[in-house]
Amino acid sequence: MNRQDKENSFASALFTGVRSREVIDIAKDTMEAGVDAALGDSIAAVIPGVKILEFFVKLPSSVSNELFKRSVLAFIERGDDADPEQWEELVNKLEQEEGGLDRAGDVMMRSLSNLDETKKARYLGKLYAAAARKEISIEEMYRMQMVLDRAYLHDLENWQHLISNLPVSTMGAEWLANLGVFRSQSTVMPKLNLGSQNDAVVVTHDASSNLRKTYKLAPFGEKMLKAIGLIPNT
């Protein structure tokens, strides 16, 4: 089997699993019980045709492979966020995109292998489900997936704190601004009179030039945070 066939096999197996109620339930149970406790040669035979389970069984045991399995299962957990018919339509669209399902499998494999937290894999599942429900486009889904790959999860989950006026480090806000989640604006502040007790503490991006940088949620960022459930999608 060549590289392209392997990618297609993985993508097909993953999207078959994410559309199956039975596989979704197994994924949820497995995440609670532990991968080794719930996945074995026997479970792959329980649901004929579900290649993602067979794929897991064949993977050699290692720390990186166990983390990869947990990420894939966390992604599959979010399968019930969209209907099987919606998933099917998304798969058909991915097949029509440049590179087809092979590219989708390549992007997915790379992402799930590199995610540093299982929770990110659940958020990734939510992104794909949002695309399946047509709340975001496939292009937006890929862009948001890139952000999820590169973002520090604590910053994403605490985005409101980063754009508040509290005197906190702007490192996380600046990083999310670079990723397009926030937009920033710099204003020149008057020089502080350090001898006065009435002066408010001003967090500056560049103290030497008295610049104050403020951050707001960008439209793209709002759409992404809604897609992964960090903002209510009303």
Side-chain angles (χ1 to χ4, degrees):
M1 181 181 290
N2 60 34
R3 180 174 180 271
Q4 189 178 48
D5 288 337
K6 287 180 181 179
E7 290 171 356
N8 186 57
S9 176
F10 174 79
S12 298
L14 184 61
F15 283 112
T16 297
V18 86
R19 296 196 302 269
S20 168
R21 178 72 260 173
E22 202 165 7
V23 178
I24 292 169
D25 289 339
I26 287 176
K28 291 180 177 179
D29 293 342
T30 301
M31 291 299 292
E32 293 178 2
V35 175
D36 288 336
L39 286 179
D41 291 312
S42 59
I43 200 169
V46 172
I47 310 176
V50 181
K51 299 295 182 182
I52 198 70
L53 299 181
E54 297 176 21
F55 179 82
F56 282 170
V57 171
K58 293 176 182 177
L59 278 178
S61 180
S62 69
V63 172
S64 60
N65 281 342
E66 294 308 305
L67 291 173
F68 175 70
K69 291 176 188 178
R70 291 182 66 82
S71 292
V72 174
L73 291 170
F75 177 91
I76 292 175
E77 272 190 282
R78 306 320 314 164
D80 53 3
D81 285 0
D83 296 331
E85 295 78 11
Q86 293 172 322
W87 281 115
E88 189 67 40
E89 188 172 351
L90 175 63
V91 171
N92 291 336
K93 287 182 179 178
L94 289 174
E95 288 176 337
Q96 296 167 13
E97 292 281 310
E98 182 179 355
L101 208 56
D102 295 330
R103 177 186 178 231
D106 186 31
V107 172
M108 180 67 70
M109 178 83 79
R110 185 169 57 250
S111 184
L112 290 172
S113 297
N114 292 332
L115 290 180
D116 52 4
E117 296 191 47
T118 303
K119 188 182 285 188
K120 276 191 176 183
R122 289 191 175 93
Y123 287 147
L124 184 60
K126 283 179 171 289
L127 284 182
Y128 275 71
R133 297 192 305 269
K134 299 181 179 178
E135 294 171 3
I136 58 175
S137 68
I138 289 178
E139 181 181 354
E140 287 173 326
M141 177 188 76
Y142 279 134
R143 289 180 180 274
M144 293 173 185
Q145 181 170 342
M146 178 273 294
V147 172
L148 194 61
D149 285 347
R150 300 181 182 181
Y152 177 40
L153 185 58
H154 179 80
D155 290 341
L156 277 179
E157 294 185 329
N158 294 277
W159 64 271
Q160 288 177 303
H161 185 63
L162 293 177
I163 62 175
S164 70
N165 291 322
L166 296 176
V168 297
S169 169
T170 60
M171 183 182 298
E174 186 69 12
W175 183 244
L176 291 183
N178 290 335
L179 293 174
V181 179
F182 291 169
R183 55 187 177 188
S184 60
Q185 181 178 5
S186 297
T187 54
V188 178
M189 301 297 294
K191 291 185 178 180
L192 297 177
N193 180 359
L194 298 179
S196 171
Q197 296 182 351
N198 296 323
D199 285 322
V201 176
V202 176
V203 179
T204 61
H205 180 65
D206 184 351
S208 63
S209 59
N210 293 309
L211 287 180
R212 176 179 180 177
K213 210 160 193 178
T214 57
Y215 299 88
K216 293 183 179 180
L217 195 59
F220 169 81
E222 181 178 1
K223 200 168 190 178
M224 176 180 175
L225 294 179
K226 284 182 178 180
I228 64 178
L230 293 178
I231 294 179
N233 197 356
T234 55

